[in-house]
Amino acid sequence: MVAPGLRLGAERLFEMPAVLERLSRSNSTSQAFAEVLRLPKQQLRKLLYPLHEVERFLAPDRRQDLHLRIFDPSPEDIARADKVFTATEGNRIDYVSSAVRIDHAPDLFRPEVVALTAVPSVGLAGDFAVVFSSFVLYFHWPLRLKSESPKNQYGHTKKMNFFKVGKHFTVVDMPGYGYRAPEDFVDMVETYLKERRNLKRTFLLVDSVVGIQKTDNIAIEMCEEFALPYVIVLTKIDKSSKGHLLKQVLQIQKFVNTKTQGCFPQLFPVSAVTFSGIHLLRCFIASVTGNLD
């Protein structure tokens, strides 16, 4: 099901040059996104709709294995969502506070989304980013947040960190699960996931190079046990060949289709290097937090 108010977008991309031109010149579109819209159409499609890029390498009888029409917003919808993530004087992204228990969490009545990711083992720790820094990169948020927010090293985040995105919603950065997780991880995170009433969606960041690992099942089992709606975001898609990425996408999609109940049936592949898939993920977050109404 396509989210209310959203229209199929990827297939229309090559049929709407006038729309793209109007959007690129519109005052309601940020300068950064206006530049994106001026990219060659093939490059633009790859940037905005990366799953469709993967689909091109599937045989016709395998395309049903991917859910490519669940969330497929038009470029107009993506442009509207981009405004939510554009930092201005009236739309600041600010650190609010940190908490180690749910009763210490700030009373923020706006919608919340939470980011969860596994802490890799020592042998894999080389080029992994900080959990929150990864989310910051994906949304192009100002780098000033790094100095204003608690200073964290990957695998050392010990608290739940709350960040306001303008007047729109709140992002909660959680300690990583698995290797080097804090001792009170279960009490802290499970209690938040079970009791936080304004939590709208949980985003599990999974490394697309290695796929779903045993540590990822910790978060998946929590979400399934508590009947929480969650989404799998495949990170680092720029690190894999098309063949390897396609294999991983199919394997993870099969896992989602057959082993999960609460997981959104569409994967969100993204790259913090090429920014492929970032705008689509932004649009989805804007939608689930009620900011595309």
Side-chain angles (χ1 to χ4, degrees):
M1 179 183 298
V2 178
L6 299 178
R7 300 167 294 283
L8 296 183
E11 293 180 343
R12 297 176 53 208
L13 193 58
F14 293 92
E15 304 172 2
M16 51 186 305
V19 173
L20 294 180
E21 181 65 20
R22 185 178 72 249
L23 279 174
S24 67
R25 294 181 178 181
S26 172
N27 291 331
S28 63
T29 301
S30 70
Q31 181 177 354
F33 192 64
E35 292 297 322
V36 168
L37 291 170
R38 295 190 184 100
L39 293 172
K41 290 179 181 178
Q42 191 65 34
Q43 189 176 351
L44 180 60
R45 179 174 181 173
K46 182 177 180 179
L47 183 71
L48 297 185
Y49 306 101
L51 269 181
H52 291 266
E53 183 70 12
V54 173
E55 183 190 25
R56 295 193 305 130
F57 296 91
L58 290 175
D61 60 345
R62 294 298 306 278
R63 292 182 181 179
Q64 61 183 355
D65 295 340
L66 291 178
H67 294 266
L68 298 182
R69 300 297 180 268
I70 301 298
F71 185 78
D72 197 11
S74 70
E76 300 102 315
D77 297 314
I78 294 176
R80 288 167 57 206
D82 187 74
K83 296 292 291 183
V84 174
F85 293 90
T86 300
T88 64
E89 285 301 316
N91 190 47
R92 291 171 54 85
I93 298 93
D94 294 314
Y95 165 69
V96 180
S97 66
S98 299
V100 293
R101 298 202 320 241
I102 188 66
D103 54 348
H104 293 168
D107 291 326
L108 301 172
F109 299 104
R110 69 190 72 204
E112 286 183 359
V113 296
V114 64
L116 287 174
T117 192
V119 179
S121 65
V122 175
L124 294 174
D127 63 350
F128 276 70
V130 179
V131 178
F132 180 68
S133 294
S134 296
F135 240 55
V136 169
L137 284 172
Y138 295 155
F139 300 144
H140 298 207
W141 289 347
L143 294 180
R144 63 180 175 81
L145 280 181
K146 291 185 179 179
S147 61
E148 293 181 359
S149 59
K151 186 176 182 180
N152 299 319
Q153 298 295 323
Y154 197 91
H156 288 74
T157 303
K158 302 301 183 184
K159 300 178 180 180
M160 301 180 287
N161 299 316
F162 293 77
F163 297 83
K164 293 192 302 183
V165 182
K167 298 179 180 179
H168 305 293
F169 59 92
T170 302
V171 168
V172 186
D173 173 43
M174 289 289 185
Y177 49 87
Y179 175 77
R180 295 180 73 181
E183 293 181 0
D184 55 352
F185 173 86
V186 172
D187 290 338
M188 183 193 314
V189 177
E190 282 197 3
T191 303
Y192 169 87
L193 294 177
K194 285 191 293 187
E195 298 184 8
R196 196 66 167 178
R197 300 302 180 191
N198 50 336
L199 175 62
K200 296 301 181 182
R201 198 71 51 132
T202 299
F203 292 84
L204 307 185
L205 279 61
V206 173
D207 185 339
S208 67
V209 177
V210 298
I212 294 176
Q213 303 296 292
K214 290 182 178 179
T215 48
D216 294 310
N217 284 318
I218 296 173
I220 292 171
E221 288 171 4
M222 281 195 301
C223 291
E224 291 288 333
E225 180 183 352
F226 305 147
L228 296 174
Y230 65 102
V231 178
I232 292 180
V233 178
L234 300 180
T235 66
K236 297 167 60 176
I237 62 173
D238 56 284
K239 299 290 187 180
S240 298
S241 66
K242 289 184 174 66
H244 180 75
L245 178 60
L246 178 59
K247 178 182 177 181
Q248 291 286 13
V249 167
L250 287 174
Q251 288 179 345
I252 297 171
Q253 187 68 66
K254 182 178 180 180
F255 174 87
V256 170
N257 293 349
T258 60
K259 304 294 185 180
T260 71
Q261 297 292 325
C263 188
F264 192 71
Q266 176 177 320
L267 306 175
F268 285 83
V270 297
S271 168
V273 176
T274 66
F275 302 112
S276 180
I278 302 304
H279 296 284
L280 185 66
L281 182 58
R282 284 179 173 179
C283 193
F284 182 78
I285 292 174
S287 176
V288 298
T289 57
N291 288 288
L292 282 185
D293 296 339

